[in-house]
Amino acid sequence: MSPLSRRDFLTAGVAAGAGLVIGFYLPHGAPRSASDTFAPNAYLKITPDGKITVVVARSEMGQGVRTSLPMILAEELGADWKQITIEQAGASTLYGDQTTGGSASVRTTWDPMRKAGAAAREMLISAAALEWGVARSACKAENSSVIHTASNRRLSYGELANQAATLRVPTDPPLKQAKDYKIVGTAVPRIDTPSKVDGSAVYGIDFRLPNMKYAVLARCPVIGGKVAGFDDKESKKISGVSYVGKIGDSAVAVVADSVWGAMEGRRVLNVQWDEGSNKDLSSAGIMDGLKKSASDKAAVLYAAGDVSKTSGRRLAADYQLPFMAHAPMEPGNCTAHFQGSSCEIWAPTQVPQDVRDSVASAVGLDSEQVKVNVTLIGGGFGRRLEHDYGVEAALVSKAANTPVKVIWTREDDMRFSTYRPASYHRLSAALDGQGWPVAFSHRIVMPSINIQKGFPAEDGTDSEVKEEASFVYAIPNTLIEYVMTETPVPLGWMRSVNALQVGFASESFIDELAVAGGKDPLELRLRLLAKDEDLNGWSTARMRGVLQLAAEKAGWGKALVPGHYHGIACFASFHTYMAEVVEISMENDQPRVHRVVGAMDCGQVINPNILEQQIQGGVIYALTNALRGQITIDKGRVVQGNFDDYQPIRMNEAPVVEAYFVQSTEAPTGAGEPPVPPLAPALCNAIYAATKKRVRALPVVS
């Protein structure tokens, strides 16, 4: 069986999740027996004391799923939000695919969570009707109680739990209409905020076990290099060091009673490395290879008309982007306890099931013998879609015969990570006599994350690149192509993945076309989105809506403070539409970003406060990437190692970020990644407005 790509797996998880929930509702069609806990499905438990527990099967890394997902279920349940508590699911077979990525958590669990809550509500209403001997239609559910409308009698969900547990689970419970929502769409406080404020929240790096040891690993500094040999005499002289050993082909672990002891043991460890075939690899060489590959045969991602037969004024430009690191605040870590016939893992992971399966394979167990507990994640951005940290911890625990936490230092996390691919973009267009685009072509040249990881190609391309290379403009002759290349640099999915790169090139070039044709950048975009239609699965009307909203809120076309300039861009990704306006001034030939106005259409909004935070966080993350973020390779080694040479945006540099969204009752889509792609082009378009110089290579400040 061929492996699925990440995106295919997420898509399959929607159906699988719903099917598992329904299957869990009706085990062989039999009613449930009475018990102390009413648990009609895998997502919900109600005890006789009235405690309502919602199980969250996605990972919390700051995006708010431990609040937004319970809100969906609580809405249909008719629960009192103050009574809701949450339970984090570990790796399980009950919830379909548990991957947290692709901005898919709400989108893929919207229906399962609604049905879970609605089914329980209907069972509780039936239990109350039986208790009172009245018709179900005479009862309603609200605020964690069922009320008999004629007599105003009331029974709490806790009082009904035992009776409800004996009833048959409905297969197709009625769902609320948006106009009746009382929880969904409101700014309820995040459930996990108090624990983060008082310090009781447990992130992966916080977790402790009795008698636990700590480990750091020495890894080959050259990409793809291996261990040739090592001398541990000096390491074993360090107080507390209890084990030094080779882990796999490319690392040596040092285990000690403390993190400091393990780090000191590694510092004096003498390792001989086989640097392999990548010892002369460089960023410059990789980019030169991408440029040369731009003339190779390409796979067509989207086509309309015929760009080769279009006449008009021709324009062309090339854009490029570097490798990038995720750089989450919490560096890599994982705790493991291997016990011969079983292994337990505590991991800040976005993919608990992948960690389970990879660990099982690595230590020689069946998946059922590995238990994965999911902790809070101090920033993921896609890095925790990998599972190397889990495998390392399990292997070290097995080798050292002790529970162990593997810790990555900041330098480890920066230099031995997976990286967003570098890319090269060749664009061209034709303008008619009035300055409007009549042809547009974009050739994307970059390595494929999925292909490097062993997922199959589809028609010579990567399905994720195709999906994320959206183009929503009605230009009569359009050609979007992809030249798939290879690199030995390990690749990984980073927040907004391929959309960031495609969006920077295409939206910057659209701005170039506006200037060349004598058009206002907003005017040009609105002209190309004027007709309501579906283009390659994207709605021009919804894109036009966010573009107009962002422009209106930013005051596009109105006088700015002297020395301030606007740039605008929009992009569709992860089923969501996003537009941004960036306001800058130039200080010492560098941009100072004062204000970013973002507008999003992500369908039904679950929690407007969390959505605002997602937009703000996405903008700041994207601004760091655009201004300074880059990973460079020299002599096969990653150059950057810490936040001194991979600098995030500081508080004094952060702009005001205004977040707006389109009111909608469409099914919810993604919110975490869509704010990223429009930021870089909007910023660079503002720089052009200020300086009349185009920025065609990121980062802006190199």
Side-chain angles (χ1 to χ4, degrees):
M1 179 178 177
S2 297
L4 294 171
S5 71
R6 179 187 69 132
R7 184 61 40 74
D8 291 337
F9 205 32
L10 289 170
T11 303
V14 182
L20 284 166
V21 169
I22 299 303
F24 200 71
Y25 286 163
L26 288 171
H28 311 296
R32 296 179 176 275
S33 59
S35 66
D36 289 339
T37 300
F38 173 46
N41 52 68
Y43 292 107
L44 175 65
K45 293 181 283 189
I46 302 175
T47 54
D49 62 2
K51 181 180 179 181
I52 301 173
T53 301
V54 178
V55 180
V56 178
R58 294 296 188 274
S59 302
E60 177 62 68
M61 50 188 171
Q63 82 281 36
V65 293
R66 286 194 180 181
T67 299
S68 56
L69 298 187
M71 285 177 70
I72 299 167
L73 189 148
E75 178 64 68
E76 291 291 347
L77 179 61
D80 179 349
W81 180 250
K82 297 183 180 67
Q83 292 179 244
I84 298 293
T85 61
I86 57 171
E87 178 182 309
Q88 177 66 53
S92 173
T93 58
L94 294 175
Y95 308 99
D97 175 32
Q98 290 177 252
T99 299
T100 304
S103 293
S105 291
V106 169
R107 176 171 58 86
T108 58
T109 55
W110 169 247
D111 283 338
M113 294 296 268
R114 291 174 77 201
K115 291 176 181 178
R121 179 195 68 226
E122 294 302 295
M123 295 170 74
L124 290 160
I125 291 173
S126 294
L130 288 170
E131 179 74 19
W132 291 321
V134 299
R136 287 188 79 263
S137 59
C139 304
K140 65 177 182 179
E142 65 179 27
N143 292 326
S144 298
S145 294
V146 178
I147 301 167
H148 181 230
T149 53
S151 65
N152 207 33
R153 284 179 289 178
R154 180 185 297 262
L155 286 170
S156 72
Y157 285 176
E159 292 172 308
L160 294 167
N162 285 341
Q163 174 75 349
T166 67
L167 302 180
R168 191 178 298 271
V169 185
T171 58
D172 191 20
L175 301 175
K176 289 185 178 181
Q177 296 182 26
K179 64 181 179 61
D180 298 321
Y181 290 162
K182 293 181 173 61
I183 297 175
V184 166
T186 66
V188 302
R190 290 174 62 141
I191 289 176
D192 53 358
T193 297
S195 66
K196 292 176 179 178
V197 172
D198 66 23
S200 62
V202 177
Y203 292 82
I205 206 164
D206 300 321
F207 184 76
R208 302 287 187 274
L209 281 175
N211 304 313
M212 183 181 78
K213 304 286 187 179
Y214 298 86
V216 295
L217 275 66
R219 303 172 180 86
C220 184
V222 175
I223 291 169
K226 297 179 180 180
V227 177
F230 67 94
D231 181 346
D232 61 4
K233 288 194 300 291
E234 295 302 313
S235 298
K236 288 186 174 179
K237 293 178 183 179
I238 301 296
S239 177
V241 170
S242 57
Y243 176 84
V244 180
K246 185 178 173 184
I247 301 298
D249 293 329
S250 57
V252 179
V254 179
V255 179
D257 294 338
S258 68
V259 176
W260 180 250
M263 291 172 65
E264 281 294 284
R266 182 177 68 173
R267 183 178 65 81
V268 298
L269 179 66
N270 182 9
V271 185
Q272 298 82 48
W273 300 110
D274 174 2
E275 295 185 348
S277 60
N278 298 322
K279 58 186 178 182
D280 297 321
L281 190 70
S282 70
S283 297
I286 292 170
M287 188 55 68
D288 285 344
L290 294 177
K291 291 177 182 178
K292 292 176 182 176
S293 296
S295 300
D296 292 349
K297 183 179 179 180
V300 175
L301 304 182
Y302 171 71
D306 189 341
V307 295
S308 66
K309 297 180 179 179
T310 307
S311 59
R313 180 186 170 193
R314 293 280 175 179
L315 296 96
D318 293 348
Y319 284 79
Q320 64 185 57
L321 298 93
F323 291 104
M324 289 197 63
H326 305 82
M329 190 59 65
E330 180 188 21
N333 67 88
C334 183
T335 302
H337 190 189
F338 177 83
Q339 300 180 76
S341 61
S342 66
C343 185
E344 190 162 5
I345 300 288
W346 292 264
T349 176
Q350 296 175 240
V351 282
Q353 293 155 321
D354 286 357
V355 170
R356 176 197 62 200
D357 296 343
S358 295
V359 164
S361 177
V363 299
L365 296 175
D366 294 332
S367 292
E368 294 75 19
Q369 295 172 288
V370 177
K371 180 180 180 182
V372 176
N373 305 281
V374 179
T375 68
L376 286 170
I377 303 174
F381 312 127
R383 178 61 180 94
R384 266 76 180 203
L385 289 167
E386 313 295 340
H387 24 96
D388 47 352
Y389 44 88
V391 170
E392 285 181 349
L395 287 173
V396 175
S397 178
K398 181 178 181 180
N401 193 30
T402 184
V404 65
K405 178 191 290 294
V406 168
I407 294 280
W408 293 44
T409 65
R410 175 63 57 200
E411 287 77 11
D412 293 339
D413 203 59
M414 196 74 74
R415 291 185 172 138
F416 303 103
S417 186
T418 57
Y419 305 95
R420 190 209 65 187
S423 63
Y424 184 78
H425 303 257
R426 181 158 291 171
L427 299 102
S428 62
L431 304 181
D432 67 14
Q434 287 72 48
W436 299 110
V438 290
F440 182 98
S441 66
H442 182 177
R443 177 166 283 209
I444 304 158
V445 186
M446 67 179 173
S448 163
I449 302 169
N450 279 330
I451 300 305
Q452 188 186 84
K453 293 183 181 299
F455 297 123
E458 296 181 13
D459 299 323
T461 189
D462 179 335
S463 60
E464 284 189 10
V465 175
K466 184 174 183 178
E467 184 173 334
E468 291 161 13
S470 68
F471 194 77
V472 194
Y473 297 120
I475 298 176
N477 302 284
T478 301
L479 180 62
I480 313 296
E481 300 175 293
Y482 173 44
V483 179
M484 188 187 301
T485 62
E486 295 183 357
T487 178
V489 177
L491 304 177
W493 301 283
M494 197 181 86
R495 190 175 188 175
S496 83
V497 201
N498 307 293
L500 183 159
Q501 309 187 71
V502 174
F504 168 62
S506 65
E507 279 296 293
S508 296
F509 192 57
I510 286 289
D511 219 69
E512 292 199 46
L513 301 186
V515 172
K519 314 299 181 188
D520 175 85
L522 174 63
E523 174 194 17
L524 177 75
R525 288 174 170 85
L526 291 178
R527 165 79 174 239
L528 299 176
L529 296 167
K531 182 182 177 183
D532 291 356
E533 57 185 317
D534 180 282
L535 289 180
N536 199 28
W538 297 99
S539 164
T540 56
R542 294 180 74 174
M543 181 62 90
R544 186 175 69 244
V546 295
L547 192 61
Q548 290 172 324
L549 180 58
E552 174 194 347
K553 296 297 185 180
W556 184 270
K558 296 180 181 178
L560 293 171
V561 173
H564 283 218
Y565 300 86
H566 270 161
I568 194 168
C570 58
F571 202 73
S573 61
F574 302 93
H575 304 266
T576 291
Y577 302 81
M578 188 79 200
E580 291 169 16
V581 176
V582 173
E583 181 179 336
I584 70 162
S585 63
M586 298 298 294
E587 300 177 4
N588 299 318
D589 294 325
Q590 301 297 335
R592 169 77 180 188
V593 182
H594 298 278
R595 181 186 181 212
V596 178
V597 177
M600 177 183 285
D601 182 349
C602 60
Q604 173 69 56
V605 174
I606 308 302
N607 186 314
N609 273 3
I610 292 177
L611 178 58
E612 181 180 33
Q613 293 159 9
Q614 287 277 62
I615 294 173
Q616 291 168 339
V619 165
I620 296 299
Y621 190 76
L623 191 56
T624 288
N625 295 347
L627 284 176
R628 292 191 287 260
Q630 66 173 328
I631 287 293
T632 54
I633 313 295
D634 182 47
K635 296 180 180 178
R637 295 160 167 81
V638 172
V639 174
Q640 290 72 25
N642 211 315
F643 289 136
D644 58 340
D645 52 9
Y646 197 91
Q647 294 184 30
I649 293 297
R650 308 295 182 180
M651 290 179 68
N652 67 324
E653 300 173 291
V656 173
V657 181
E658 298 176 23
Y660 302 95
F661 57 86
V662 174
Q663 295 286 349
S664 175
T665 58
E666 297 279 347
T669 53
E673 296 174 276
V676 175
L679 189 283
L683 168 65
C684 293
N685 293 341
I687 293 172
Y688 177 81
T691 65
K692 304 308 176 193
K693 297 178 182 178
R694 284 288 171 194
V695 177
R696 296 195 178 101
L698 294 182
V700 172
V701 182
S702 58

